[in-house]
Amino acid sequence: MDIEINTLPIGMEGAEQDSLYHPDLLQSLNQNLRQQLATRNAPLITLEQRQQQARAALTTAVSSRELGRIAFSQELNKCYDALTAIYTSLDLPPEQRSLQYINRHGLVMSPDYCIKTITDTPRVGAFWQALEPLIGVDTNTEGKAQHLVYPACGPYAPLLLPLLYSLKQQERLNPLLKVTLIDVHPAAAHTALELVNLCGLADQVDVLCLDACDYQAEPGSVNILLLESMQHGFGREAHLSICQHFESLLAHDAIMVPENISICAVLVKSAEEYPAEGRDTSIANSGRIELGSILEVNRHNVLQLQTLELDGGNCLVECDQVRIPDNIVDAKDYILLLTTRIKVAENCWIEEYESGISHPLPDLSVCIGFTPNDYKSGDLLAKPGDSLKFYYRKLGLPGFLPTLVKSEVSS
């Protein structure tokens, strides 16, 4: 099966490019280098043996969900090692594997970085839990015709591909299910295609290499949209733009996975949220000041969001407004934090701090009750009693833009 190629990269170089890397990138690159060294120093094995190991790792990873989080995490790491052995054996130039750039809708991550997603235990587990009842059938039922599209799937399509293979091995995969995997990065799409063939899924799974916002299909022909294209703080990647593009392609009863993404604004003291001795993030920081929701993304509201077209081709989505309480003591000690909570499906959540995509994102440009010594033009000076109106940048490098709504002056 051929891959359709239609990419629109806009390169970035130098320090500006370096600033786009997630703080965990060095760890990811080091792990990738260790994997390459281990592969080079390991006893020679045939390609067929390597493929058998990868297929076995996929099956074991899915079945290990019932063994508890530690065992599941260990098996996902073994799955990562097995798939990465395949990935590093492909004829992909190193410069292509490490290429990262911004296209018109957001950051396109390098495959060398994306491959680590499969080790994010809470994220992967939640999506598998949500998807299994949608694409699996009992051995005595046939299932119904469905089309699932997974844009921005990355090289391993980790939120779906292992589950597809496991269900197929159990003869529980809906035979009428058709899947389309999409990724704009040629190295990611090429790897995904190799894994689809390795798993014997080519009769049900197509792989396209194009910007997901350029994907075309009959209106109403997509039954399940599986999409996770974001970083913490719902930023940098093209999740919202892709959601809005696909809305007209979804069937009236289509399911969007995740069902809802909620981003809220809170104020915290750094020493309380991030104490030097560490903090149990499963226990809420009681010192937070909750300001409220600034954006909800779900099937019902994605096309109702108001968009502002500005000069220079800039596009902003209007979000909600929150108010800074006027009775905050030591307001200058507080920072603005954007929190993310993800409802993947009913009774299936990714909570704050559980996953790389749900870590709160500080916005240090908002200065409450003080003017910083190193004041920059992009800083926003606010005070207790002011309100913050949020907008969301859709193009370039997506993310939230807080603006100031000054408090009323009493007469």
Side-chain angles (χ1 to χ4, degrees):
M1 176 170 50
D2 295 330
I3 302 178
E4 178 184 343
I5 303 291
N6 180 17
T7 58
L8 292 168
I10 301 175
M12 294 191 67
E13 299 176 352
E16 187 174 8
Q17 168 74 22
D18 293 339
S19 69
L20 300 178
Y21 287 130
H22 188 280
D24 290 340
L25 181 58
L26 181 58
Q27 180 181 359
S28 175
L29 292 176
N30 285 343
Q31 178 63 19
N32 183 262
L33 292 173
R34 292 188 190 102
Q35 175 65 36
Q36 292 185 56
L37 288 171
T39 301
R40 176 171 294 187
N41 298 329
L44 291 177
I45 63 173
T46 65
L47 175 61
E48 183 179 354
Q49 289 173 319
R50 187 178 290 118
Q51 292 173 338
Q52 289 174 347
Q53 291 175 354
R55 285 189 286 263
L58 289 171
T59 302
T60 304
V62 175
S63 63
S64 69
R65 288 178 295 165
E66 308 301 325
L67 303 178
R69 180 162 178 169
I70 293 177
F72 184 34
S73 179
Q74 291 172 340
E75 293 303 327
L76 285 179
N77 277 284
K78 292 178 183 178
C79 190
Y80 166 80
D81 290 339
L83 293 179
T84 302
I86 299 292
Y87 172 65
T88 55
S89 71
L90 300 177
D91 187 21
L92 295 171
E95 62 273 14
Q96 187 182 68
R97 287 174 24 188
S98 62
L99 176 64
Q100 177 169 286
Y101 59 89
I102 292 177
N103 73 0
R104 66 184 185 275
H105 297 296
L107 179 64
V108 176
M109 301 297 296
S110 72
D112 277 352
Y113 181 72
C114 292
I115 57 177
K116 287 294 289 184
T117 300
I118 200 167
T119 64
D120 189 333
T121 307
R123 188 188 332 186
V124 171
F127 276 87
W128 288 358
Q129 178 183 337
L131 288 167
E132 183 167 0
L134 300 178
I135 65 175
V137 295
D138 296 330
T139 53
N140 60 345
T141 60
E142 186 180 47
K144 63 178 181 179
Q146 293 188 101
H147 183 200
L148 184 157
V149 182
Y150 182 0
C153 65
Y156 296 171
L159 305 182
L160 179 65
L161 188 59
L163 184 62
L164 286 176
Y165 179 67
S166 178
L167 291 174
K168 185 179 180 68
Q169 293 303 106
Q170 301 171 52
E171 298 184 347
R172 293 181 51 228
L173 179 62
N174 178 5
L176 300 180
L177 174 72
K178 293 296 182 182
V179 174
T180 302
L181 303 180
I182 303 173
D183 203 284
V184 69
H185 202 298
H190 181 82
T191 304
L193 178 60
E194 290 288 335
L195 295 181
V196 166
N197 291 332
L198 180 148
C199 292
L201 293 166
D203 59 331
Q204 289 187 256
V205 181
D206 293 322
V207 180
L208 303 179
C209 184
L210 75 162
D211 189 319
C213 291
D214 292 331
Y215 174 75
Q216 298 298 324
E218 287 294 325
S221 64
V222 178
N223 306 104
I224 304 170
L225 176 64
L226 167 59
L227 175 62
E228 185 279 286
S229 180
M230 58 180 163
Q231 297 185 29
H232 62 311
F234 197 61
R236 295 192 172 186
E237 298 184 59
H239 193 107
L240 183 58
S241 291
I242 297 173
C243 275
Q244 292 182 321
H245 172 75
F246 269 85
E247 180 57 34
S248 65
L249 306 180
L250 297 179
H252 70 92
D253 58 349
I255 296 173
M256 186 181 291
V257 182
E259 286 187 13
N260 190 70
I261 302 168
S262 177
I263 300 93
C264 294
V266 303
L267 298 180
V268 300
K269 291 184 177 180
S270 294
E272 294 176 351
E273 188 75 18
Y274 308 109
E277 65 275 12
R279 183 175 69 83
D280 183 354
T281 54
S282 65
I283 301 174
N285 172 13
S286 60
R288 282 185 173 189
I289 299 174
E290 305 284 344
L291 300 184
S293 172
I294 59 173
L295 180 64
E296 302 275 336
V297 178
N298 54 60
R299 172 77 198 276
H300 304 292
N301 75 349
V302 73
L303 283 185
Q304 298 173 6
L305 298 172
Q306 299 299 311
T307 301
L308 303 176
E309 303 286 345
L310 302 182
D311 294 341
N314 292 303
C315 181
L316 298 178
V317 173
E318 188 173 356
C319 302
D320 291 327
Q321 179 174 310
V322 297
R323 184 176 182 274
I324 303 171
D326 53 15
N327 59 349
I328 300 179
V329 179
D330 298 328
K332 61 182 177 57
D333 295 335
Y334 284 86
I335 63 172
L336 176 68
L337 209 62
L338 301 182
T339 67
T340 306
R341 191 166 183 252
I342 302 166
K343 181 182 180 183
V344 185
E346 196 66 33
N347 300 317
C348 183
W349 296 80
I350 300 176
E351 302 288 357
E352 280 186 46
Y353 289 108
E354 281 192 334
S355 165
I357 58 176
S358 65
H359 273 245
L361 176 68
D363 187 342
L364 302 182
S365 70
V366 178
C367 309
I368 302 173
F370 74 100
T371 301
N373 293 329
D374 58 343
Y375 174 78
K376 302 178 181 63
S377 60
D379 288 338
L380 185 67
L381 304 182
K383 65 180 185 298
D386 285 342
S387 292
L388 299 177
K389 171 73 173 180
F390 286 84
Y391 296 87
Y392 188 80
R393 298 186 308 272
K394 276 186 62 178
L395 304 180
L397 202 59
F400 288 96
L401 172 71
T403 62
L404 184 64
V405 180
K406 291 185 177 295
S407 58
E408 297 181 3
V409 179
S410 57
S411 55

